[in-house]
Amino acid sequence: MKVLVAVKRVIDPNVKVRVKADESGVETANVKMAMNPFDEIGVEEAIRMREAGTADEVVAVSIGAQQVQETIRTALAMGADRGIHVNTDETIQPLAAAKLLKAVIEKEQPQVVILGKQAVDDDAGQTGQMLAALLGWSQATFASKIALGDGEAEVTREIDGGLEVIKAKLPMVVTTDLRLNEPRYASLPNIMKAKKKPIEEMTPADLGVDPAPRLTLVKVVEPPKRHAGIIVETVAELVDKLKNEAKVI
Amino acid sequence: MGILVLAEHNNAELKPATLNTVTAARAIGDDIHVLVAGEGCGAIADAAAKIDGVSKVLVADAPEYGHQLAENVANLIVGLADGYSHILAPHTTSGKNILPRAAALLDLQQVSDITAVVSEDTFERPIYAGNGVATVQSSDAKKLVTVRITAFDPAAEEGGSAAIEQVASAGDAGLTSFLRAEVSSSERPELTSAKIIISGGRGMQSGENFAMLEKIADKLGAAVGASRAAVDAGYVPNDYQVGQTGKIVAPDLYIAVGLSGAIQHLAGMKDSKVIVAINKDEEAPIFQVADYGIVGDLFDVVPALEAELDKQS
């Protein structure tokens, strides 16, 4: 069984993101980039499936400009077998990403496709669900546990208020939540080995997909700022302030 | 053309998130319909019909909607979409699961997690954990939108008298099935609708120590939350998580205990009316957003707070 995992290059989540002065977006020049953290969890899960013998090949796919190959290399260094790079300079919104991934999946025929539940740049949280829709496949979002069976899987999902377990027919699309696993670090020998693993390049035109954005970004501004309040010395003073000044208890 | 709002419910209770989503719909236009997809959900439909500003309630009552499986509910929405200019759902785990699937089937680019309506095709939404607020304009013929519930006041639960109309099921897609739920049973309010929240971070040091916060929560009628660090450390379940990748909350009072205030956590709670920080590190970023701070060891401060609440009550 083949597992395909989608990985996105985003601003490193530990970097303080700055809005550009002309309100056209956020500053990305000379900013440290990284793999979207939820996609790392996806790569880890796919590799564990191969290590457990339920999967025999892990393919990592990324969409974007030439630099996303660095992100694919990271997935290869973690243990993915090969990469696919859909090369485009276009701004890719979730629907376009889902259409491009669908075209790749029709060529690759995986049984399980894993994506992060959201990317920490646009925080849209749509691509996995959209991909499942376009393929007509089962979807298991916000997964914290995946148990693969014969032609189906039991997936535990993180929902508001607790957990839910569903049975999904294969092929399926899964999106990862935090507790699914703890991704490994790539070892130096594996980073070296990853350099020799193949990355196949293709374009949206090769895949017959028009990736033009549907949403126009009008502007990006800084959020309203909160200001630091006061430090109180005692718990009695705090309770008094909450009761009589803020009137919230 | 009207606006369709997907009701959030569990067949027993209409969730408050529906009310906030109706308010977002009213900021876009009139003629608001609510879709109740469920099993044995007649009482939910009755409750939805009373929401102020709702003109019609559509009910699809069938076993395949009993557990809000995305494949089935999305197909239902697609079948009803023709009559609507906008389809809205709350940006909850259920709305997030269902609406993008419907959007892709309709070849529409959804707008997620809106915090303001600028016009019928233009919306504000946070990006990068709330470090930026983007204004986006949709060129699609129909707008599918999920709504950040803390950004819109709840619509009044009474005052409406909408007509209730049964709609046919779109059938069972047969792709997924519900096996079981493990829902946290708690007498405390839900995080996203609580007026007061007390949250712990890595400084709590263990899951057992969260009992200290629970005691205070019970005195204040509060919900208990946590930072991602505390969830990652295994102290509490993931559904406690407040932040960019967890729940977005905006209570009247948010008490952050032993929690440094990483940007991803602030993204989930900085719209709270009043923030209290208890931390031994006076340099912790949480103090930059807190209205009231106490610098001290939480293992001294929290029990003292509990005693003080008893004294002053």
Side-chain angles (χ1 to χ4, degrees):
Chain A
M1 188 189 77
K2 189 190 286 185
V3 179
L4 188 137
V5 49
V7 294
K8 186 176 186 182
R9 183 175 185 261
V10 298
I11 293 179
D12 186 304
N14 298 313
V15 169
K16 165 92 179 117
V17 172
R18 291 186 197 286
V19 172
K20 286 186 190 170
D22 67 0
E23 300 188 345
S24 65
V26 302
E27 197 56 70
T28 52
N30 302 315
V31 171
K32 187 171 179 250
M33 305 297 280
M35 187 190 295
N36 177 42
F38 288 101
D39 301 348
E40 285 187 325
I41 297 173
V43 173
E44 176 67 32
E45 193 66 16
I47 296 167
R48 287 187 191 186
M49 286 176 183
R50 195 194 54 213
E51 287 169 348
T54 46
D56 47 35
E57 190 182 29
V58 175
V59 182
V61 185
S62 192
I63 303 167
Q66 201 59 33
Q67 298 90 315
V68 307
Q69 290 206 5
E70 292 167 20
T71 309
I72 298 175
R73 289 286 169 210
T74 305
L76 298 176
M78 287 173 72
D81 297 294
R82 61 187 171 91
I84 294 176
H85 172 206
V86 181
N87 198 336
T88 173
D89 291 328
E90 182 70 85
T91 300
I92 298 295
Q93 292 174 347
L95 183 61
K99 288 179 180 178
L100 291 166
L101 290 171
K102 173 182 184 251
V104 170
I105 286 160
E106 282 169 348
K107 289 157 66 108
E108 291 287 333
Q109 302 282 325
Q111 285 294 294
V112 175
V113 176
I114 310 178
L115 298 86
K117 77 164 178 178
Q118 75 192 76
V120 296
D121 49 5
D122 63 7
D123 286 330
Q126 301 174 9
T127 307
Q129 298 88 310
M130 288 186 151
L131 176 60
L134 297 176
L135 290 163
W137 288 9
S138 327
Q139 73 181 53
T141 50
F142 325 136
S144 63
K145 192 176 170 197
I146 304 169
L148 286 173
D150 189 18
E152 60 185 35
E154 258 190 47
V155 182
T156 305
R157 305 179 55 236
E158 303 269 11
I159 58 167
D160 293 335
L163 297 170
E164 173 186 277
V165 185
I166 60 168
K167 192 179 348 177
K169 278 193 183 150
L170 299 188
M172 68 169 179
V173 174
V174 185
T175 75
T176 61
D177 214 320
L178 279 180
R179 294 193 299 176
L180 184 58
N181 61 51
E182 208 164 301
R184 70 193 67 189
Y185 291 102
S187 66
L188 189 60
N190 284 343
I191 292 170
M192 301 310 288
K193 258 192 258 172
K195 291 185 177 163
K196 295 204 186 71
K197 290 181 179 174
I199 297 180
E200 186 185 352
E201 267 191 69
M202 53 192 75
T203 65
D206 296 337
L207 295 167
V209 173
D210 172 11
R214 307 281 192 87
L215 301 180
T216 308
L217 184 62
V218 179
K219 63 175 178 180
V220 177
V221 298
E222 296 252 6
K225 283 230 176 343
R226 268 192 100 98
H227 296 286
I230 57 165
I231 297 291
V232 295
E233 295 304 324
T234 67
V235 168
E237 190 185 347
L238 174 67
V239 173
D240 176 63
K241 296 262 188 213
L242 293 178
K243 272 204 156 102
N244 302 316
E245 190 175 90
K247 297 186 166 57
V248 287
I249 60 170
Chain B
M1 279 205 288
I3 301 171
L4 186 66
V5 170
L6 179 65
E8 173 123 349
H9 69 93
N10 58 4
N11 299 312
E13 181 197 3
L14 182 70
K15 299 283 182 178
T18 313
L19 304 173
N20 309 78
T21 310
V22 166
T23 299
R26 293 183 73 174
I28 296 169
D30 308 321
D31 201 16
I32 293 156
H33 298 182
V34 171
L35 172 61
V36 176
E39 181 182 14
C41 56
I44 306 297
D46 292 342
K50 291 193 192 121
I51 301 173
D52 190 29
V54 173
S55 55
K56 194 195 274 185
V57 174
L58 305 179
V59 189
D61 196 330
E64 52 268 29
Y65 302 127
H67 296 286
Q68 305 293 324
L69 293 172
E71 295 86 344
N72 295 343
V73 181
N75 285 348
L76 177 70
I77 292 171
V78 169
L80 297 169
D82 260 356
Y84 298 98
S85 62
H86 297 74
I87 303 176
L88 273 58
H91 194 68
T92 53
T93 52
S94 182
K96 285 191 269 194
N97 190 32
I98 294 167
L99 207 65
R101 189 169 178 111
L105 294 173
L106 293 163
D107 194 30
L108 300 170
Q109 175 55 62
Q110 175 181 307
V111 184
S112 289
D113 200 18
I114 65 160
T115 50
V117 174
V118 178
S119 71
E120 60 167 23
D121 65 359
T122 305
F123 308 92
E124 286 182 11
R125 59 180 305 271
I127 55 173
Y128 291 94
N131 279 301
V133 179
T135 302
V136 295
Q137 184 172 25
S138 167
S139 58
D140 279 336
K142 211 179 276 302
K143 281 72 178 166
L144 265 64
V145 175
T146 61
V147 174
R148 175 171 293 206
I149 58 179
T150 56
F152 296 89
D153 291 331
E157 283 176 83
E158 301 287 336
S161 56
I164 297 178
E165 186 181 307
Q166 304 289 328
V167 295
S169 165
D172 186 349
L175 291 170
T176 54
S177 53
F178 171 85
L179 293 180
R180 60 189 177 274
E182 294 157 22
V183 177
S184 324
S185 56
S186 167
E187 298 298 306
R188 295 187 197 100
E190 286 185 33
L191 265 176
T192 48
S193 53
K195 296 266 184 241
I196 302 178
I197 295 173
I198 182 162
S199 279
R202 203 194 290 279
M204 295 303 297
Q205 296 182 9
S206 77
E208 290 73 48
N209 289 335
F210 268 75
M212 296 195 306
L213 305 189
E214 287 163 3
K215 281 189 201 157
I216 292 184
D218 291 340
K219 286 192 199 307
L220 296 173
V224 178
S227 68
R228 176 173 168 176
V231 172
D232 279 351
Y235 301 165
V236 287
N238 190 55
D239 59 294
Y240 279 48
Q241 191 200 154
V242 172
Q244 180 190 19
T245 58
K247 294 195 172 69
I248 308 292
V249 301
D252 292 342
L253 173 61
Y254 189 91
I255 306 174
V257 181
L259 183 160
S260 65
I263 194 80
Q264 289 83 1
H265 185 77
L266 300 184
M269 47 62 82
K270 68 184 165 57
D271 293 327
S272 306
K273 276 203 196 99
V274 174
I275 297 174
V276 169
I278 299 170
N279 203 298
K280 65 181 172 192
D281 175 12
E282 61 184 316
E283 302 294 324
I286 190 73
F287 287 117
Q288 297 302 314
V289 301
D291 300 279
Y292 304 106
I294 291 192
V295 180
D297 187 335
L298 72 91
F299 294 99
D300 299 328
V301 177
V302 173
L305 177 60
E306 192 196 341
E308 188 64 30
L309 286 169
D310 280 341
K311 203 165 105 190
Q312 292 203 24
S313 66

